[in-house]
Amino acid sequence: TYRYKLPYAPDRNKALSNVLGSVGFNGIGGVMCRRKMFINNNIQFSTELHYTEDWLVLGTLLYYSKKVKILHNAYLYIYNRYNESSATNTMSIDKQMQTFEVIRKFRELVGTSNFNRELNRSLCRRTSAFIKNYGFEVTAREMVAARDKISIPTLRDILTADVHLSLRVRLLRLWFGYLRPMLRKCSE
């Protein structure tokens, strides 16, 4: 048995803030919503994404919803939650890049709304995971190569993201040591 405590979300904005900021996100498996939410807002699972597609759907559902109710005492049974061959447990560069594409799609969805801090936090956390799995050079190379399709963290994103110091230091090292020089080189 695994007990999962959801973060506090008294309303739709806080729930959306949590999901966009990658706080307490646990997939779409424990979510119930009306079918008309999908139909009226043309929400579909992306066939292009093979990783984090449920994150995109959940965030989009929350964005279009009027109200949200979290059932803290509800129980969900997930068979074989820690499957070693699952998409979550088999990371690849392609999957890492898909997380950045989802963040870009979220930015398009919410526009200039109040969720920039949360999206910056997600972008920084996902970038840090990429660095952890593949190192600074590979992370920078892949991000610069896909810069037209994904959000690349800017120095401002890093400095304004609500992330702890060691993560911020890692991201600043990526920015000054790899991303900035590579982006300058590409623009010449």
Coordinates of all heavy atoms in Angstrom, one line a residue, residues 120-155:
N120 N 8.0 28.3 -14.9 CA 9.4 28.5 -14.7 C 10.0 27.4 -13.7 O 11.0 26.9 -14.0 CB 9.8 29.9 -14.2 CG 9.7 30.9 -15.2 OD1 9.6 30.6 -16.4 ND2 9.6 32.2 -14.8
R121 N 9.2 27.2 -12.7 CA 9.6 26.1 -11.7 C 9.7 24.8 -12.4 O 10.6 24.0 -12.2 CB 8.7 26.1 -10.5 CG 9.1 25.1 -9.4 CD 8.1 25.0 -8.3 NE 7.6 26.3 -7.8 CZ 6.3 26.5 -7.6 NH1 5.4 25.6 -7.9 NH2 5.9 27.7 -7.2
S122 N 8.6 24.5 -13.2 CA 8.6 23.2 -13.9 C 9.8 23.1 -14.9 O 10.5 22.1 -15.0 CB 7.3 23.0 -14.7 OG 6.4 22.4 -13.9
L123 N 10.0 24.2 -15.6 CA 11.1 24.2 -16.6 C 12.4 24.0 -16.0 O 13.2 23.2 -16.4 CB 11.0 25.6 -17.4 CG 12.1 25.8 -18.5 CD1 11.9 24.7 -19.6 CD2 11.9 27.2 -19.0
C124 N 12.6 24.6 -14.8 CA 13.9 24.5 -14.1 C 14.0 23.0 -13.5 O 15.1 22.4 -13.6 CB 14.0 25.5 -13.0 SG 14.3 27.2 -13.7
R125 N 13.0 22.5 -13.0 CA 13.1 21.1 -12.4 C 13.3 20.1 -13.5 O 14.1 19.2 -13.4 CB 11.8 20.8 -11.7 CG 11.6 21.5 -10.4 CD 10.4 21.1 -9.7 NE 10.3 21.7 -8.4 CZ 9.2 21.7 -7.6 NH1 8.1 21.2 -8.1 NH2 9.3 22.3 -6.4
R126 N 12.6 20.3 -14.6 CA 12.8 19.3 -15.8 C 14.2 19.5 -16.4 O 14.8 18.5 -16.8 CB 11.7 19.5 -16.8 CG 10.3 19.4 -16.3 CD 10.0 18.0 -15.8 NE 8.6 18.0 -15.2 CZ 7.8 17.0 -15.3 NH1 8.1 15.9 -16.0 NH2 6.6 17.0 -14.8
T127 N 14.7 20.7 -16.4 CA 16.1 20.9 -17.0 C 17.1 20.2 -16.0 O 18.0 19.6 -16.5 CB 16.4 22.4 -17.1 OG1 15.4 23.0 -18.0 CG2 17.7 22.6 -17.7
S128 N 16.9 20.4 -14.7 CA 17.7 19.8 -13.7 C 17.7 18.3 -13.9 O 18.8 17.6 -13.8 CB 17.3 20.2 -12.3 OG 18.2 19.6 -11.4
A129 N 16.6 17.7 -14.1 CA 16.5 16.2 -14.3 C 17.3 15.8 -15.5 O 17.9 14.8 -15.5 CB 15.0 15.8 -14.4
F130 N 17.2 16.6 -16.6 CA 17.9 16.3 -17.8 C 19.4 16.3 -17.5 O 20.1 15.4 -17.9 CB 17.5 17.4 -18.9 CG 17.8 16.9 -20.3 CD1 16.9 17.3 -21.3 CD2 18.9 16.2 -20.7 CE1 17.1 17.0 -22.6 CE2 19.1 15.9 -22.0 CZ 18.2 16.2 -23.0
I131 N 19.9 17.4 -16.8 CA 21.3 17.5 -16.5 C 21.7 16.3 -15.7 O 22.8 15.7 -15.9 CB 21.6 18.8 -15.7 CG1 21.3 20.0 -16.6 CG2 23.0 18.8 -15.2 CD1 21.3 21.3 -15.8
K132 N 20.9 15.9 -14.7 CA 21.2 14.8 -13.8 C 21.4 13.5 -14.6 O 22.3 12.7 -14.4 CB 20.1 14.6 -12.8 CG 20.5 13.8 -11.6 CD 19.3 13.9 -10.6 CE 19.6 13.1 -9.4 NZ 18.5 13.2 -8.5
N133 N 20.5 13.3 -15.6 CA 20.5 12.0 -16.4 C 21.6 12.0 -17.5 O 22.1 11.0 -17.8 CB 19.2 11.8 -17.0 CG 18.1 11.3 -16.0 OD1 18.4 10.6 -15.1 ND2 16.9 11.8 -16.2
Y134 N 21.9 13.2 -18.1 CA 22.7 13.2 -19.3 C 23.9 14.2 -19.3 O 24.7 14.2 -20.2 CB 21.9 13.5 -20.5 CG 20.8 12.4 -20.8 CD1 19.5 12.6 -20.4 CD2 21.2 11.2 -21.3 CE1 18.6 11.6 -20.5 CE2 20.3 10.2 -21.4 CZ 19.0 10.4 -21.1 OH 18.0 9.4 -21.2
G135 N 24.0 15.0 -18.2 CA 25.1 15.9 -18.1 C 24.9 17.3 -18.8 O 23.9 17.4 -19.6
F136 N 25.7 18.2 -18.5 CA 25.6 19.6 -19.0 C 25.7 19.7 -20.6 O 24.8 20.3 -21.2 CB 26.6 20.5 -18.4 CG 26.4 20.8 -17.0 CD1 27.2 20.1 -16.0 CD2 25.4 21.7 -16.5 CE1 27.0 20.4 -14.7 CE2 25.2 21.9 -15.2 CZ 26.0 21.3 -14.3
E137 N 26.7 19.1 -21.2 CA 26.9 19.2 -22.6 C 25.8 18.6 -23.4 O 25.3 19.3 -24.4 CB 28.2 18.6 -23.0 CG 29.4 19.3 -22.5 CD 30.7 18.7 -23.0 OE1 30.8 18.3 -24.2 OE2 31.6 18.6 -22.1
V138 N 25.3 17.4 -23.1 CA 24.2 16.8 -23.8 C 22.9 17.6 -23.7 O 22.2 17.9 -24.6 CB 24.0 15.3 -23.4 CG1 22.8 14.7 -24.0 CG2 25.2 14.5 -23.7
T139 N 22.7 18.0 -22.4 CA 21.5 18.8 -22.2 C 21.5 20.1 -23.0 O 20.5 20.4 -23.7 CB 21.4 19.2 -20.7 OG1 21.3 18.0 -19.9 CG2 20.1 20.0 -20.4
A140 N 22.6 20.8 -23.0 CA 22.6 22.1 -23.8 C 22.5 21.8 -25.3 O 21.8 22.5 -26.0 CB 24.0 22.8 -23.5
R141 N 23.2 20.8 -25.8 CA 23.2 20.5 -27.2 C 21.8 20.1 -27.6 O 21.3 20.7 -28.7 CB 24.1 19.3 -27.5 CG 24.3 19.0 -29.0 CD 25.3 17.9 -29.3 NE 24.9 16.7 -28.7 CZ 25.6 16.0 -27.8 NH1 26.7 16.5 -27.4 NH2 25.1 14.9 -27.3
E142 N 21.1 19.3 -26.9 CA 19.7 18.9 -27.3 C 18.7 20.1 -27.2 O 17.9 20.2 -28.0 CB 19.2 17.8 -26.4 CG 20.0 16.5 -26.6 CD 19.8 15.8 -27.9 OE1 18.7 16.0 -28.5 OE2 20.8 15.2 -28.4
M143 N 18.9 20.9 -26.2 CA 18.0 22.0 -26.0 C 18.2 23.1 -27.1 O 17.2 23.6 -27.7 CB 18.1 22.7 -24.6 CG 17.6 21.8 -23.5 SD 17.8 22.5 -21.9 CE 16.2 23.2 -21.7
V144 N 19.4 23.4 -27.4 CA 19.7 24.3 -28.5 C 19.2 23.8 -29.8 O 18.6 24.5 -30.6 CB 21.2 24.7 -28.5 CG1 21.6 25.5 -29.7 CG2 21.5 25.5 -27.2
A145 N 19.4 22.5 -30.1 CA 19.0 21.9 -31.4 C 17.5 22.0 -31.5 O 17.0 22.1 -32.7 CB 19.5 20.5 -31.4
A146 N 16.7 21.9 -30.4 CA 15.3 21.9 -30.5 C 14.7 23.3 -30.1 O 13.5 23.4 -29.8 CB 14.7 20.8 -29.6
R147 N 15.5 24.3 -30.1 CA 15.0 25.6 -29.6 C 13.8 26.2 -30.2 O 13.1 27.0 -29.6 CB 16.1 26.6 -29.6 CG 16.6 27.1 -30.9 CD 17.8 28.0 -30.8 NE 18.3 28.4 -32.1 CZ 19.1 27.6 -32.8 NH1 19.5 26.4 -32.4 NH2 19.6 28.0 -34.0
D148 N 13.4 25.8 -31.4 CA 12.2 26.3 -32.1 C 11.0 25.5 -31.6 O 9.9 26.1 -31.8 CB 12.3 26.1 -33.6 CG 13.5 26.9 -34.2 OD1 13.8 27.9 -33.6 OD2 14.0 26.5 -35.3
K149 N 11.2 24.4 -31.0 CA 10.0 23.6 -30.5 C 9.8 23.6 -29.0 O 8.7 23.2 -28.6 CB 10.2 22.1 -31.0 CG 10.1 21.9 -32.5 CD 10.0 20.5 -32.9 CE 11.4 19.8 -32.7 NZ 11.4 18.4 -33.1
I150 N 10.8 24.0 -28.3 CA 10.7 23.9 -26.8 C 11.0 25.2 -26.1 O 11.6 26.1 -26.8 CB 11.6 22.8 -26.2 CG1 13.1 23.2 -26.4 CG2 11.3 21.4 -26.8 CD1 14.1 22.4 -25.6
S151 N 10.7 25.3 -24.9 CA 11.1 26.4 -24.1 C 12.5 26.2 -23.5 O 12.7 25.1 -22.9 CB 10.1 26.6 -22.9 OG 8.9 26.9 -23.3
I152 N 13.4 27.1 -23.7 CA 14.7 26.9 -23.1 C 14.8 27.9 -21.9 O 14.3 29.0 -22.1 CB 15.9 27.3 -24.1 CG1 15.9 26.3 -25.3 CG2 17.2 27.4 -23.4 CD1 16.9 26.7 -26.3
P153 N 15.2 27.5 -20.8 CA 15.2 28.4 -19.6 C 16.2 29.5 -19.9 O 17.3 29.3 -20.3 CB 15.7 27.5 -18.5 CG 16.4 26.3 -19.1 CD 15.8 26.2 -20.4
T154 N 15.7 30.7 -19.6 CA 16.5 31.9 -19.7 C 17.1 32.2 -18.4 O 16.7 31.6 -17.4 CB 15.7 33.1 -20.2 OG1 14.7 33.4 -19.1 CG2 15.0 32.9 -21.5
L155 N 18.1 33.1 -18.3 CA 18.7 33.5 -17.1 C 17.6 34.0 -16.1 O 17.5 33.7 -14.9 CB 19.8 34.5 -17.3 CG 20.5 35.0 -16.0 CD1 21.2 33.8 -15.3 CD2 21.5 36.0 -16.4

